[in-house]
Amino acid sequence: MLELLIKNGSLLSPVNGYHQEVMDILLKNGRIEKIAPHIEAANAEVIDASGCLVTPGLIDIHVHCFPQCSLGIEPDVLGIKRGATTIFDAGSSGALNYETFRSEYIDQSKTKVFTLLNVSKLGLAEPHELDDLNKIDRQALKAAAAKYQDNIVGLKARASASVVGAMGFEPIRLAAEIAHEVKLPLMVHVGNYPPALKDVLNVLEAGDIVTHAYHGKKGGILNADGTIIEEALNARKRGVLFDIGHGVASFSFKTFKQAMTQSFDCDLISTDLHVENYQGPVYNLAAVLSKLLNCGESLEDVISKATSVPARHYQLKGLGELKEGFIGDLSVMKLSDCDEAVVDSIGDSLTLKQRLTLVNTIYSRGDEIEVFRHDTEQ
């Protein structure tokens, strides 16, 4: 369709001054045409969003959507069908297989897909992708980043014993060096020692991102006495960002709540959706936002950290905000009271008292506007 009118929704986009005011939004030719208390549009299809939150289209900065690589599943399964209008593939492809990923999946998907290119030349197409420095092709990486600036918005490396093997910290040091040289933010997966998290944090600079920051494993962001490690505090002062990256083994309610008591909140919220967790325990970004909401985050913060914050950080033009002239990507959700037990990545339980439920995901492709109705199609 070319014209869509969303009526009576409670608009939530703090960066644009919307704090659940009931408004109408008119989308036309793939863009937000008008936002006002009351809009009439004779030629528009209409969605009645009464009782629902209307937010910018959700942005998930950590998924794996290159099916030819380990963990990968099709972009639209992890994107539109799970309520995110924009997703980032976080390191599935490297410099030598990125073009295949782009032509066969990114360019064919309805979901907008951006790439965090793995510093390993074949990404997750080979196991233990950073256990040999020969797996890093510095020149190919720099060439791909320069050629595809429209889609490659950052680099990715996994700092975990199962990935780096005997190489330890060196592949991560090299990844940071290359990222800073090409002036792209580096996202680092942090997990089991080695390398030491302290060493990883010390090479990160402003704009870099630590994903799985609250994993709860030994050697994480907490000292033995439960305080935040000094290197994490210093990294945040330098402008390093900390992301949830839920995953199958990378988010602990206890660790996150303990960090919250020390004002060491997350900066970004992502899922790490892939073939092993998209049917549970992660499910979708709205489910992860619900967990954070019930851990003490405010509703406005969880929405911002999955919309305007990543959009602005990665300079995604026209995305992440409710603003006239911006791309017509919207999420329609219900916030409901509930009494439901959910688990984190290590099996600990939390009782949800409020839950965000997906209703409609509205996304634009050029001039065309499409609607995925979760209540009837999922």
Side-chain angles (χ1 to χ4, degrees), residues 242-256:
F242 292 80
D243 171 49
I244 293 297
H246 191 302
V248 292
S250 299
F251 178 59
S252 163
F253 293 140
K254 289 180 181 178
T255 298
F256 182 72

Side-chain angles (χ1 to χ4, degrees), residues 9-262:
S10 298
L11 274 56
L12 184 55
S13 182
V15 73
N16 305 115
Y18 296 118
H19 306 278
Q20 300 191 53
E21 292 83 359
V22 175
M23 306 277 274
D24 295 351
I25 302 180
L26 177 64
L27 305 183
K28 189 173 182 179
N29 299 324
R31 296 274 170 173
I32 298 176
E33 175 82 5
K34 187 177 181 181
I35 302 175
H38 181 74
I39 300 172
E40 294 290 343
N43 297 321
E45 292 194 30
V46 178
I47 289 177
D48 184 358
S50 297
C52 296
L53 299 174
V54 178
T55 75
L58 296 180
I59 299 172
D60 192 343
I61 64 166
H62 188 163
V63 308
H64 293 281
C65 61
F66 184 16
Q68 295 182 21
C69 290
S70 171
L71 303 179
I73 194 166
E74 288 79 5
D76 288 335
V77 174
L78 302 186
I80 295 298
K81 291 183 179 180
R82 274 169 176 70
T85 57
T86 299
I87 59 177
F88 286 28
D89 183 87
S92 301
S93 68
L96 300 191
N97 55 4
Y98 167 76
E99 290 185 346
T100 298
F101 175 41
R102 178 160 185 158
S103 63
E104 296 186 17
Y105 298 97
I106 295 175
D107 292 346
Q108 307 304 319
S109 69
K110 295 181 177 180
T111 309
K112 296 172 182 66
V113 181
F114 292 93
T115 302
L116 303 178
L117 194 67
N118 201 308
V119 296
S120 181
K121 58 189 177 184
L122 288 174
L124 301 185
E126 56 184 354
H128 318 297
E129 72 272 11
L130 289 176
D131 65 354
D132 183 341
L133 295 184
N134 290 321
K135 292 181 178 179
I136 300 177
D137 187 332
R138 190 183 191 116
Q139 294 309 312
L141 183 59
K142 291 170 64 177
K147 183 176 181 180
Y148 297 108
Q149 296 180 42
D150 64 321
N151 183 262
I152 297 174
V153 295
L155 303 185
K156 171 76 183 295
R158 295 199 294 170
S160 184
S162 60
V163 176
V164 301
M167 291 292 99
F169 173 62
E170 181 58 19
I172 307 306
R173 185 202 66 78
L174 186 58
E177 180 180 290
I178 297 170
H180 301 153
E181 183 178 344
V182 299
K183 294 180 169 50
L184 287 176
L186 175 67
M187 175 186 280
V188 181
H189 155 128
V190 296
N192 293 317
Y193 172 90
L197 176 57
K198 295 179 179 181
D199 292 335
V200 173
L201 289 167
N202 284 338
V203 298
L204 300 183
E205 297 181 356
D208 293 335
I209 294 173
V210 176
T211 191
H212 311 316
Y214 306 88
H215 58 58
K217 302 171 187 175
K218 185 178 179 180
I221 63 168
L222 299 181
N223 290 305
D225 64 359
T227 57
I228 303 295
I229 62 174
E230 183 179 1
E231 290 79 5
L233 295 171
N234 290 336
R236 171 158 280 175
K237 289 177 183 176
R238 294 196 305 276
V240 175
L241 304 180
F242 292 80
D243 171 49
I244 293 297
H246 191 302
V248 292
S250 299
F251 178 59
S252 163
F253 293 140
K254 289 180 181 178
T255 298
F256 182 72
K257 288 181 177 181
Q258 180 64 19
M260 286 275 284
T261 66
Q262 300 167 70

Side-chain angles (χ1 to χ4, degrees), residues 24 62 98 106-107 119 152 158 163 169 216 223-224 235 259 274 284 295 304 313 321 326 343 351 354 362 370 374 378:
D24 295 351
H62 188 163
Y98 167 76
I106 295 175
D107 292 346
V119 296
I152 297 174
R158 295 199 294 170
V163 176
F169 173 62
N223 290 305
H274 52 70
N284 56 51
C295 282
S304 295
H313 180 71
E321 300 185 32
F326 269 48
V343 295
T351 299
Q354 286 187 305
I362 300 162
E370 298 188 34
H374 297 274
Q378 190 174 36

Side-chain angles (χ1 to χ4, degrees), residues 294 336-342 350-355:
N294 286 267
S336 305
D337 293 335
C338 65
D339 188 9
E340 176 185 349
V342 294
L350 173 75
T351 299
L352 300 185
K353 296 302 182 182
Q354 286 187 305
R355 179 182 178 185

